Amino acid sequence: MPGCGLQRSLLFLIKGEFVSAFLMYPAIYPMLLLFGFLGLNKIYSLNIQIQLRLHLW
């Protein structure tokens, strides 16, 4: 069954096979960084938009 390889890449990451995960789906590491940033933003509520609005006034 053809697919993009994301799930298999995640399984390789769980097993600790980092090079195989990258070879299976090269975008796995940028995606992990993106989701990590989004998770931190959700948890800590960085409120970047509010800070920018205050500086523009």
Side-chain angles (χ1 to χ4, degrees):
M1 175 182 279
C4 66
L6 177 62
Q7 291 178 338
R8 287 179 283 169
S9 179
L10 287 173
L11 289 175
F12 280 133
L13 278 179
I14 291 170
K15 291 179 183 179
E17 299 178 21
F18 303 111
V19 175
S20 297
F22 177 78
L23 293 175
M24 183 62 63
Y25 188 69
I28 189 71
Y29 295 115
M31 282 181 49
L32 288 176
L33 288 173
L34 172 68
F35 289 128
F37 174 76
L38 291 174
L40 286 174
N41 189 23
K42 188 72 171 174
I43 291 171
Y44 291 110
S45 298
L46 295 177
N47 296 328
I48 294 171
Q49 293 176 348
I50 293 173
Q51 292 175 2
L52 288 175
R53 287 182 189 164
L54 289 175
H55 289 289
L56 292 176
W57 289 101

Coordinates of all heavy atoms in Angstrom, one line a residue:
M1 N 0.9 -1.2 0.0 CA 0.0 0.0 0.0 C 0.9 1.2 0.0 O 1.7 1.4 0.9 CB -0.9 0.0 1.2 CG -1.7 1.2 1.4 SD -2.7 1.2 2.9 CE -4.1 0.2 2.3
P2 N 0.8 2.1 -1.0 CA 1.6 3.3 -1.1 C 1.2 4.3 -0.1 O 0.0 4.4 0.3 CB 1.4 3.7 -2.5 CG 0.1 3.2 -2.9 CD 0.0 1.9 -2.2
G3 N 2.1 5.1 0.4 CA 1.8 6.2 1.3 C 3.0 7.1 1.4 O 4.1 6.9 0.7
C4 N 3.0 8.0 2.3 CA 4.1 9.0 2.4 C 5.2 8.5 3.3 O 6.3 9.0 3.3 CB 3.5 10.3 2.9 SG 2.9 10.3 4.6
G5 N 4.9 7.5 4.2 CA 5.9 7.0 5.1 C 6.0 7.6 6.4 O 6.9 7.3 7.2
L6 N 5.0 8.4 6.8 CA 5.0 9.1 8.0 C 4.9 8.2 9.2 O 5.7 8.2 10.2 CB 3.9 10.2 8.1 CG 3.8 10.9 9.4 CD1 5.1 11.7 9.7 CD2 2.6 11.9 9.4
Q7 N 4.0 7.2 9.1 CA 3.8 6.3 10.3 C 5.0 5.4 10.4 O 5.4 5.2 11.6 CB 2.5 5.5 10.0 CG 1.3 6.3 10.2 CD 0.0 5.4 9.9 OE1 0.1 4.4 9.2 NE2 -1.1 5.9 10.4
R8 N 5.5 4.9 9.4 CA 6.7 4.1 9.5 C 7.9 4.9 10.0 O 8.7 4.4 10.8 CB 7.1 3.4 8.1 CG 6.1 2.4 7.7 CD 6.4 1.8 6.4 NE 5.9 2.8 5.4 CZ 6.2 2.7 4.1 NH1 7.0 1.8 3.7 NH2 5.8 3.6 3.3
S9 N 8.0 6.1 9.6 CA 9.1 7.0 10.1 C 8.9 7.2 11.6 O 9.9 7.1 12.4 CB 9.0 8.3 9.4 OG 10.0 9.2 9.9
L10 N 7.7 7.4 12.1 CA 7.5 7.5 13.5 C 7.8 6.2 14.3 O 8.4 6.3 15.4 CB 6.0 7.9 13.8 CG 5.6 9.3 13.5 CD1 4.1 9.5 13.6 CD2 6.4 10.3 14.3
L11 N 7.5 5.1 13.7 CA 7.9 3.8 14.3 C 9.4 3.7 14.4 O 9.9 3.2 15.4 CB 7.3 2.7 13.5 CG 5.8 2.5 13.7 CD1 5.3 1.4 12.8 CD2 5.4 2.2 15.1
F12 N 10.1 4.1 13.3 CA 11.6 4.1 13.4 C 12.1 5.0 14.5 O 13.0 4.6 15.2 CB 12.2 4.5 12.1 CG 12.2 3.4 11.0 CD1 11.8 3.7 9.7 CD2 12.7 2.1 11.3 CE1 11.8 2.7 8.8 CE2 12.7 1.1 10.4 CZ 12.3 1.4 9.1
L13 N 11.5 6.2 14.7 CA 11.9 7.1 15.8 C 11.7 6.4 17.1 O 12.6 6.6 18.0 CB 11.1 8.4 15.7 CG 11.6 9.4 14.7 CD1 10.7 10.6 14.7 CD2 13.0 9.8 15.0
I14 N 10.6 5.8 17.3 CA 10.3 5.1 18.6 C 11.3 4.0 18.9 O 11.8 3.9 20.0 CB 8.9 4.6 18.6 CG1 7.8 5.7 18.6 CG2 8.6 3.6 19.8 CD1 6.4 5.3 18.4
K15 N 11.8 3.3 17.8 CA 12.8 2.3 18.0 C 14.2 2.9 18.2 O 15.1 2.1 18.5 CB 12.8 1.4 16.8 CG 11.5 0.5 16.6 CD 11.6 -0.3 15.4 CE 10.4 -1.1 15.1 NZ 10.5 -1.9 13.9
G16 N 14.3 4.2 17.9 CA 15.6 4.8 18.0 C 16.5 4.7 16.7 O 17.7 5.0 16.8
E17 N 15.8 4.4 15.6 CA 16.5 4.3 14.3 C 16.3 5.7 13.6 O 15.5 5.8 12.7 CB 16.0 3.2 13.5 CG 16.2 1.8 14.2 CD 15.7 0.7 13.4 OE1 15.5 0.8 12.2 OE2 15.4 -0.4 14.0
F18 N 17.1 6.7 14.0 CA 16.9 8.0 13.5 C 17.3 8.2 12.1 O 16.6 9.0 11.4 CB 17.7 9.0 14.4 CG 17.4 8.9 15.9 CD1 18.3 8.4 16.8 CD2 16.1 9.3 16.3 CE1 18.0 8.2 18.1 CE2 15.8 9.2 17.7 CZ 16.7 8.6 18.5
V19 N 18.3 7.6 11.6 CA 18.7 7.7 10.2 C 17.6 7.0 9.3 O 17.2 7.6 8.3 CB 20.1 7.1 9.9 CG1 20.4 7.1 8.4 CG2 21.1 7.9 10.7
S20 N 17.1 5.9 9.7 CA 16.1 5.2 8.9 C 14.8 6.0 8.9 O 14.1 6.1 7.9 CB 15.8 3.8 9.5 OG 16.9 3.0 9.4
A21 N 14.5 6.7 10.0 CA 13.3 7.5 10.1 C 13.5 8.7 9.1 O 12.5 9.0 8.4 CB 13.1 8.1 11.5
F22 N 14.7 9.3 9.0 CA 14.9 10.4 8.0 C 14.8 9.9 6.6 O 14.2 10.5 5.7 CB 16.2 11.0 8.3 CG 16.5 12.1 7.3 CD1 16.0 13.3 7.4 CD2 17.4 11.9 6.3 CE1 16.2 14.3 6.5 CE2 17.7 12.8 5.3 CZ 17.1 14.1 5.5
L23 N 15.4 8.7 6.4 CA 15.3 8.2 5.0 C 13.9 7.8 4.6 O 13.6 7.9 3.4 CB 16.3 7.0 4.9 CG 17.8 7.3 5.0 CD1 18.6 6.0 5.0 CD2 18.2 8.2 3.9
M24 N 13.1 7.3 5.5 CA 11.7 7.0 5.2 C 10.9 8.2 4.9 O 10.1 8.2 4.0 CB 11.1 6.2 6.4 CG 9.7 5.7 6.1 SD 9.6 4.5 4.8 CE 10.6 3.2 5.4
Y25 N 11.1 9.3 5.7 CA 10.3 10.5 5.5 C 11.1 11.7 6.0 O 11.2 12.0 7.2 CB 9.0 10.4 6.4 CG 8.0 11.5 6.1 CD1 7.3 11.6 4.9 CD2 7.7 12.4 7.1 CE1 6.4 12.6 4.7 CE2 6.8 13.4 6.9 CZ 6.2 13.5 5.7 OH 5.2 14.5 5.4
P26 N 11.8 12.3 5.0 CA 12.8 13.4 5.4 C 12.2 14.6 6.2 O 12.9 15.3 6.9 CB 13.3 13.9 4.1 CG 13.1 12.7 3.1 CD 11.9 12.0 3.6
A27 N 10.9 14.8 6.0 CA 10.3 15.9 6.7 C 9.9 15.6 8.2 O 9.3 16.5 8.8 CB 9.0 16.4 6.0
I28 N 10.3 14.5 8.7 CA 9.9 14.1 10.1 C 10.5 15.1 11.1 O 9.8 15.5 12.1 CB 10.3 12.7 10.4 CG1 9.7 12.2 11.7 CG2 11.8 12.4 10.4 CD1 8.2 12.0 11.7
Y29 N 11.7 15.5 11.0 CA 12.4 16.3 12.0 C 11.8 17.8 12.0 O 11.5 18.3 13.0 CB 13.9 16.3 11.9 CG 14.4 14.9 12.2 CD1 15.0 14.1 11.2 CD2 14.2 14.3 13.4 CE1 15.5 12.8 11.5 CE2 14.6 13.1 13.7 CZ 15.3 12.3 12.8 OH 15.7 11.1 13.1
P30 N 11.6 18.4 10.8 CA 11.0 19.7 10.8 C 9.5 19.7 11.4 O 9.1 20.6 12.1 CB 11.0 20.2 9.4 CG 12.1 19.4 8.7 CD 12.2 18.1 9.5
M31 N 8.8 18.6 11.1 CA 7.5 18.4 11.6 C 7.5 18.3 13.1 O 6.7 18.8 13.8 CB 6.8 17.2 11.0 CG 6.3 17.5 9.6 SD 5.4 16.1 8.9 CE 4.3 15.6 10.2
L32 N 8.5 17.5 13.7 CA 8.6 17.4 15.1 C 8.9 18.7 15.8 O 8.3 19.1 16.8 CB 9.7 16.4 15.5 CG 9.3 14.9 15.2 CD1 10.5 14.0 15.5 CD2 8.1 14.5 16.0
L33 N 9.8 19.5 15.1 CA 10.0 20.9 15.7 C 8.8 21.8 15.6 O 8.5 22.5 16.6 CB 11.2 21.5 14.9 CG 12.5 21.0 15.1 CD1 13.5 21.6 14.1 CD2 13.0 21.2 16.5
L34 N 8.1 21.7 14.5 CA 6.8 22.5 14.4 C 5.8 22.1 15.5 O 5.3 23.0 16.2 CB 6.2 22.3 13.0 CG 4.8 22.9 12.8 CD1 4.9 24.4 12.9 CD2 4.2 22.5 11.5
F35 N 5.6 20.8 15.6 CA 4.6 20.4 16.6 C 5.1 20.6 18.0 O 4.3 20.9 18.9 CB 4.2 18.9 16.4 CG 3.4 18.7 15.2 CD1 3.8 17.7 14.3 CD2 2.3 19.4 15.0 CE1 3.0 17.5 13.1 CE2 1.5 19.2 13.8 CZ 1.9 18.3 12.9
G36 N 6.4 20.5 18.3 CA 6.9 20.9 19.6 C 6.7 22.4 19.9 O 6.3 22.7 21.0
F37 N 7.0 23.2 18.9 CA 6.7 24.6 19.1 C 5.2 24.9 19.4 O 4.9 25.7 20.3 CB 7.2 25.4 17.9 CG 6.9 26.9 18.0 CD1 7.6 27.7 18.9 CD2 5.9 27.4 17.3 CE1 7.3 29.1 19.0 CE2 5.6 28.8 17.4 CZ 6.3 29.6 18.2
L38 N 4.4 24.3 18.6 CA 2.9 24.5 18.7 C 2.5 24.0 20.1 O 1.6 24.7 20.8 CB 2.2 23.8 17.6 CG 2.3 24.4 16.2 CD1 1.6 23.6 15.2 CD2 1.8 25.8 16.2
G39 N 3.0 22.9 20.6 CA 2.7 22.4 21.9 C 3.1 23.3 23.0 O 2.4 23.6 23.9
L40 N 4.4 23.8 22.9 CA 4.8 24.8 23.9 C 4.0 26.1 23.9 O 3.7 26.7 24.9 CB 6.3 25.1 23.7 CG 7.3 24.0 24.1 CD1 8.7 24.4 23.6 CD2 7.2 23.7 25.5
N41 N 3.7 26.5 22.7 CA 2.9 27.7 22.6 C 1.5 27.5 23.2 O 1.0 28.4 23.9 CB 2.7 28.1 21.1 CG 2.1 29.5 20.9 OD1 2.1 30.3 21.8 ND2 1.5 29.7 19.8
K42 N 0.9 26.4 23.1 CA -0.4 26.1 23.7 C -0.3 26.0 25.2 O -1.1 26.5 25.9 CB -0.9 24.7 23.1 CG -2.3 24.4 23.4 CD -3.2 25.3 22.7 CE -4.7 24.8 23.0 NZ -5.6 25.7 22.4
I43 N 0.8 25.4 25.7 CA 0.9 25.2 27.1 C 1.3 26.5 27.8 O 0.7 26.8 28.8 CB 2.1 24.1 27.4 CG1 1.6 22.7 26.9 CG2 2.4 24.1 28.9 CD1 2.7 21.7 27.0
Y44 N 2.2 27.2 27.3 CA 2.7 28.4 28.0 C 2.0 29.7 27.5 O 2.3 30.7 28.1 CB 4.2 28.5 27.8 CG 5.0 27.5 28.5 CD1 5.6 26.5 27.9 CD2 5.0 27.4 29.9 CE1 6.3 25.5 28.5 CE2 5.7 26.5 30.6 CZ 6.4 25.5 29.9 OH 7.0 24.5 30.6
S45 N 1.2 29.6 26.5 CA 0.4 30.8 26.1 C 1.3 32.0 25.9 O 1.3 32.9 26.6 CB -0.7 31.1 27.0 OG -1.6 30.0 27.1
L46 N 2.2 31.9 24.9 CA 3.1 33.0 24.6 C 2.5 34.3 24.3 O 3.1 35.3 24.6 CB 4.1 32.5 23.5 CG 5.0 31.3 23.9 CD1 5.8 31.0 22.7 CD2 5.8 31.6 25.1
N47 N 1.3 34.3 23.7 CA 0.6 35.5 23.4 C 1.4 36.5 22.6 O 1.5 37.7 23.0 CB 0.0 36.2 24.7 CG -1.0 35.3 25.4 OD1 -1.7 34.6 24.7 ND2 -1.0 35.4 26.7
I48 N 2.1 36.1 21.6 CA 2.9 36.9 20.8 C 2.1 38.0 20.1 O 2.6 39.2 20.1 CB 3.7 36.0 19.7 CG1 4.6 35.1 20.4 CG2 4.4 36.9 18.7 CD1 5.2 34.1 19.5
Q49 N 0.9 37.7 19.7 CA 0.1 38.8 19.1 C -0.2 39.9 20.0 O -0.2 41.1 19.6 CB -1.2 38.1 18.5 CG -1.0 37.2 17.4 CD -2.3 36.5 17.0 OE1 -3.3 36.6 17.7 NE2 -2.2 35.8 15.9
I50 N -0.5 39.6 21.3 CA -0.8 40.7 22.2 C 0.4 41.5 22.5 O 0.3 42.7 22.6 CB -1.4 40.0 23.5 CG1 -2.7 39.4 23.3 CG2 -1.4 41.1 24.6 CD1 -3.3 38.6 24.5
Q51 N 1.6 40.9 22.6 CA 2.8 41.6 22.8 C 3.1 42.5 21.7 O 3.6 43.6 21.8 CB 4.0 40.6 23.1 CG 3.8 39.9 24.4 CD 4.9 38.9 24.6 OE1 5.8 38.7 23.7 NE2 4.9 38.1 25.7
L52 N 2.9 42.0 20.4 CA 3.2 42.9 19.3 C 2.2 44.0 19.2 O 2.6 45.2 18.9 CB 3.0 42.0 18.0 CG 4.1 41.0 17.7 CD1 3.8 40.2 16.5 CD2 5.5 41.7 17.5
R53 N 1.0 43.8 19.6 CA 0.0 44.9 19.6 C 0.4 46.0 20.6 O 0.2 47.2 20.3 CB -1.4 44.4 19.9 CG -2.0 43.7 18.7 CD -3.4 43.2 19.1 NE -3.9 42.3 18.1 CZ -4.9 41.5 18.2 NH1 -5.6 41.5 19.3 NH2 -5.3 40.7 17.2
L54 N 0.9 45.6 21.7 CA 1.3 46.6 22.8 C 2.5 47.4 22.3 O 2.5 48.6 22.6 CB 1.6 45.9 24.1 CG 0.4 45.3 24.8 CD1 0.9 44.5 26.0 CD2 -0.5 46.3 25.2
H55 N 3.4 46.8 21.6 CA 4.6 47.5 21.1 C 4.2 48.5 19.9 O 4.9 49.4 19.7 CB 5.7 46.6 20.7 CG 6.3 45.9 21.8 ND1 7.1 46.5 22.7 CD2 6.2 44.6 22.2 CE1 7.5 45.6 23.6 NE2 7.0 44.5 23.4
L56 N 3.2 48.1 19.2 CA 2.8 49.0 18.0 C 2.0 50.2 18.5 O 2.0 51.2 17.7 CB 2.0 48.2 17.0 CG 2.8 47.1 16.3 CD1 1.8 46.3 15.4 CD2 3.9 47.7 15.5
W57 N 1.4 50.2 19.6 CA 0.6 51.3 20.1 C 1.6 52.4 20.6 O 2.0 53.1 21.0 CB -0.4 51.0 21.1 CG -1.5 50.1 20.6 CD1 -1.6 48.8 20.6 CD2 -2.6 50.6 19.8 NE1 -2.7 48.4 20.0 CE2 -3.4 49.5 19.5 CE3 -3.0 51.8 19.4 CZ2 -4.5 49.5 18.7 CZ3 -4.2 51.9 18.7 CH2 -4.9 50.8 18.3

